[in-house]
Amino acid sequence: MPKIVVIGAGPGGYETAIRAAQLGAEVVLIEKGRAGGTCLNIGCIPTKTLWKTAELFEQVKESTSFGIKLENPSVDMAAVKARKDYVADRMNTGVNFLVDSYPNIEYIEGYASFKDENTIIVDKGEEKVEVAGDYFIIATGSAPLVPSFEGSRLENVITSTELLDLDYLPEKLVVVGTGVIGMEFASIYNSFGTDVTVIGSDILGACESEITKRIQSIFKQKGMKIEKGYRASKIEKSANGLTVFAENKKGKVVEAEGDLVLLAIGRIPFTEGLNLEGIGIETNRGGVVVDKDLKTSKDNIFAIGDCISGNVQLAHVASNQGLNLVERLMGNTPHIVEDVVPAATFTLPEIAQVGKTEDQLKEEGIEYDKSKFLFSGNGKAVSMGETDGFVKILASKDHKKILGVHIFGPHANDIVHLGAVAMANDLPVSALNKTIFAHPTLSETFMEASHGLEGASIHTAKVAKK
């Protein structure tokens, strides 16, 4: 059996190592920090822990409409941070337990650097060890991108890593960046009661445009200030903290003041110290260049996840790239469909999508049918008091393929997987409509939208013909 060396124990790395071990390989897993990587320790999981607190706080503030009387609820950020740390620690312990349960996985803590294409040197602090292998998989993830404009490194100008470690609630927060990371934190802190200003070129630009328009309206109703179409150019200290200056394409400048400024303009591949260029591995702006099979310029060295140049930066993409990769390395046929990738955005309300947007289909000249069902027509959503949003399904004209699913509303990030399963298995609309959905559930919104494609949605009012 081959010896597979995995560098990085984030979701991509540790899941890849475990699957390789299940298939009988001898595995070495190397990690410089805590098992679980960015996602588990300073990314996805801690952020969603804060998101749950924000969701609960919003429900508490609206509790009188449910017949519950509470006076002056408030957020204790020290306690919020403590819970966030507990969740991350518990998950970290779980990953360590999983890895330790496989006798054919050797776990090494330290910094990895390639000596040559067949050997890695791991710096453990007090000693250095050499690790040889048949195959190497680079899974080192990404790091926050810090821009080079003036003031970007001032005190209280922070990235998501530092924001997740706050034990107090800032009075004013300026978020530079309107992608998923920026908008999730903006939504969370807005719900906590912080005065939030968001600056960026476009709001959640990868999402369905109908959703982004609606959510901007909801954010503004909640008091969030949105400076759309602007690019931050500098940050200065001011009497009240920090001032961010931003400019649009016409040269107009806006200013935003905050106690803290969150830089959330993206993430870059992290390959520092690996000595990739030294052994002849091609890189592009720090990211590893790979072919369609995730192979680098060396036949026995591969890369997965965020560290790949131009790769989709999602934890589940990294994990499934790794799972398919080790299947190939062990002589099996990969079975995961890698081009059907659901995306989850944990704003309040939630946003989820899989497949093409309407704008993309129009740009590509693809004809399609669509159906939309509102959460306001769903009994479970009404009982929950969460009626904002909808489920939209885009299908081919013959209804034999689902082209895209876009959801905005309660539990959107769970419901979207109905669409992902259909797309990954090439299920036609008729196959979806054979399924009985339990009542009352939020998933019935997906059922109604699917039935709507065939003119059979029971809870959609008939539109009179003109």
Side-chain angles (χ1 to χ4, degrees):
M1 286 293 180
K3 183 176 181 180
I4 299 176
V5 181
V6 182
I7 308 170
Y14 85 76
E15 293 188 29
T16 298
I18 287 174
R19 184 58 185 148
Q22 289 173 343
L23 293 171
E26 179 185 355
V27 182
V28 178
L29 178 60
I30 303 167
E31 171 56 49
K32 63 178 175 56
R34 281 163 53 103
T38 293
C39 180
L40 190 152
N41 295 292
I42 53 172
C44 324
I45 301 302
T47 304
K48 276 61 199 177
T49 306
L50 262 62
W51 173 87
K52 178 58 184 178
T53 301
E55 181 193 44
L56 183 58
F57 187 52
E58 286 204 344
Q59 292 169 347
V60 167
K61 288 186 291 185
E62 297 168 1
S63 62
T64 53
S65 64
F66 291 84
I68 300 172
K69 294 182 179 180
L70 295 170
E71 292 185 5
N72 302 319
S74 61
V75 175
D76 179 349
M77 281 303 294
V80 171
K81 178 183 179 299
R83 182 173 185 274
K84 181 268 299 182
D85 291 341
Y86 161 76
V87 171
D89 289 345
R90 177 173 173 174
M91 295 297 292
N92 170 260
T93 300
V95 172
N96 283 317
F97 174 80
L98 282 172
V99 171
D100 289 344
S101 71
Y102 288 87
N104 51 334
I105 298 179
E106 179 184 4
Y107 185 80
I108 303 176
E109 294 183 12
Y111 290 81
S113 179
F114 280 96
K115 178 182 179 181
D116 55 48
E117 62 189 88
N118 299 304
T119 315
I120 278 179
I121 298 173
V122 184
D123 186 347
K124 300 175 65 177
E126 296 181 355
E127 64 172 328
K128 293 182 179 180
V129 297
E130 288 194 6
V131 178
D134 299 305
Y135 298 111
F136 295 85
I137 300 174
I138 304 168
T140 48
S142 60
L145 172 60
V146 178
S148 58
F149 59 69
E150 180 185 342
S152 63
R153 298 185 183 276
L154 286 172
E155 184 180 2
N156 291 328
V157 178
I158 60 177
T159 68
S160 58
T161 302
E162 293 80 41
L163 187 62
L164 281 168
D165 214 30
L166 284 188
D167 60 1
Y168 68 95
L169 197 60
E171 184 178 339
K172 292 184 178 182
L173 174 67
V174 179
V175 178
V176 178
T178 50
V180 171
I181 295 173
M183 295 312 300
E184 284 187 349
F185 278 115
S187 180
I188 289 167
Y189 274 85
N190 172 254
S191 294
F192 284 164
T194 294
D195 184 345
V196 177
T197 301
V198 176
I199 298 172
S201 56
D202 200 7
I203 307 297
L204 296 170
C207 291
E208 178 76 11
S209 58
E210 185 177 0
I211 291 176
T212 61
K213 290 174 184 176
R214 177 61 186 142
I215 202 162
Q216 285 178 69
S217 175
I218 289 175
F219 286 158
K220 289 177 180 178
Q221 289 172 15
K222 291 182 176 183
M224 189 186 300
K225 301 179 187 69
I226 299 176
E227 300 292 357
K228 179 182 172 182
Y230 287 86
R231 190 184 187 95
S233 54
K234 68 175 179 179
I235 304 172
E236 292 182 351
K237 289 184 178 180
S238 65
N240 297 316
L242 295 162
T243 301
V244 180
F245 297 84
E247 187 174 343
N248 66 12
K249 292 181 179 179
K250 296 181 179 179
K252 181 182 176 182
V253 176
V254 295
E255 300 177 15
E257 287 193 342
D259 311 319
L260 295 175
V261 175
L262 171 64
L263 299 177
I265 61 174
R267 297 180 66 85
I268 55 176
F270 183 84
T271 57
E272 183 181 334
L274 291 176
N275 190 35
L276 300 181
E277 293 83 356
I279 64 165
I281 292 180
E282 184 183 354
T283 61
N284 179 29
R285 296 184 179 180
V288 185
V289 176
V290 299
D291 66 11
K292 63 180 178 62
D293 295 319
L294 303 172
K295 185 171 66 179
T296 69
S297 43
K298 298 292 182 181
D299 287 343
N300 66 322
I301 301 177
F302 301 81
I304 62 171
D306 290 12
C307 67
I308 295 175
S309 176
N311 200 43
V312 177
Q313 293 186 336
L314 293 170
H316 46 285
V317 168
S319 298
N320 287 288
Q321 284 178 334
L323 297 179
N324 270 355
L325 173 57
V326 293
E327 293 284 352
R328 287 198 299 271
L329 295 181
M330 298 299 290
N332 299 329
T333 301
H335 61 278
I336 299 166
V337 179
E338 291 188 43
D339 59 355
V340 177
V341 180
T345 303
F346 284 85
T347 48
L348 294 109
E350 300 174 40
I351 300 172
Q353 65 188 60
V354 62
K356 303 281 189 179
T357 65
E358 282 202 70
D359 289 340
Q360 288 172 328
L361 292 174
K362 290 173 183 175
E363 288 172 8
E364 295 172 20
I366 299 173
E367 293 188 341
Y368 64 94
D369 279 347
K370 68 178 178 180
S371 177
K372 184 170 70 173
F373 189 81
L374 305 179
F375 278 98
S376 59
N378 175 264
K380 178 71 179 295
V382 173
S383 70
M384 292 166 60
E386 298 183 44
T387 55
D388 271 325
F390 54 82
V391 174
K392 179 192 285 188
I393 301 178
L394 309 174
S396 59
K397 277 290 187 179
D398 60 8
H399 295 176
K400 290 184 178 180
K401 287 182 72 68
I402 303 298
L403 303 176
V405 175
H406 304 275
I407 308 176
F408 166 51
H411 294 261
N413 295 311
D414 299 312
I415 301 169
V416 73
H417 294 95
L418 292 165
V421 169
M423 293 176 67
N425 292 279
D426 292 320
L427 296 180
V429 174
S430 59
L432 291 178
N433 292 346
K434 292 178 179 179
T435 306
I436 296 175
F437 282 63
H439 175 77
T441 63
L442 294 173
S443 294
E444 288 177 286
T445 55
F446 184 92
M447 177 195 73
E448 295 281 6
S450 180
H451 284 179
L453 285 164
E454 297 189 330
S457 173
I458 299 300
H459 294 94
T460 299
K462 184 177 178 63
V463 178
K465 293 183 179 179
K466 294 182 179 179

